[in-house]
């Protein structure tokens, strides 16, 4: 994959000020996802460091489902959704995490055997709460999270420090 393709992909991410609330800048990756060449280039780069190390990809709702589905297809692996609470018909695990105000939770089904090696995928690593809870959730089912890969990391928020010693790879830093 060419660095030109990756640079073009980065140019397709749009920052939206004051969304979803005043003071927050939302990184809209949908224009990148809508571009076939950019989408393939970034997903290949997200997978690159973890080749041969995972059995299944776990995508975090919602944009992690899109990237995770593409990644699973490219890698020839299955995809395990990590969903916001209340959506799955057969949740086998639940993990809460802190939001700025209150808490949220993620859930997962036991649709792959204990010991399965999991690569977690999401679009953005911000405060790290969502991915830290997602890692804990996979461990609670006896799965083996081997890495985290994201499209973007907002370095100033320090989310990586919440993730322990699991390897984390990010395509774009901001
Ligand atoms: C965004 C993003 C990550 C999470 C990162 O999801 O897609 O999943 O926030 O934030 P954190 O590192 O501070 O936990 P969002 O909460 O917007 O939910 P959505 O994907 O369901 O829209």
């Amino acid at each position: 994959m060419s660095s030109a393709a990756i640079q073009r992909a980065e140019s397709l991410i749009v920052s939206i000020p004051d969304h979803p609330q005043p003071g927050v800048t939302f990184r809209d990756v949908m224009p990148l996802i809508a571009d076939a060449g950019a989408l393939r280039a970034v997903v290949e780069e997200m997978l690159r460091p973890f080749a041969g190390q995972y059995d299944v990809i776990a995508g975090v709702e919602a944009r992690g489902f899109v990237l995770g589905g593409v990644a699973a297809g490219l890698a020839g692996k299955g995809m395990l959704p990590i969903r916001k609470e209340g959506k799955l018909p057969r949740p086998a695990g639940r993990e809460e995490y802190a939001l700025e105000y209150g808490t949220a939770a993620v859930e997962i089904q036991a649709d792959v055997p204990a010991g399965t090696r999991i690569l977690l995928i999401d679009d953005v690593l911000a405060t790290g709460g969502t991915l830290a809870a997602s890692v804990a959730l996979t461990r609670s089912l006896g799965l083996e999270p081997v890495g985290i890969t994201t499209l973007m990391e907002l370095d100033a928020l320090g989310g990586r420090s919440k993730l322990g010693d699991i390897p984390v790879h990010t395509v774009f830093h901001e």
Side-chain angles (χ1 to χ4, degrees), residues 112-152:
V112 296
T116 299
R117 298 173 302 166
I118 303 292
L119 176 64
L120 293 106
I121 289 191
D122 204 355
D123 63 334
V124 177
L125 168 58
T127 68
T130 309
L131 278 164
S134 299
V135 169
L137 185 62
T138 58
R139 289 193 176 125
S140 74
L141 259 60
L143 305 174
E144 185 192 344
V146 296
I148 291 171
T149 192
T150 69
L151 188 55
M152 295 190 70

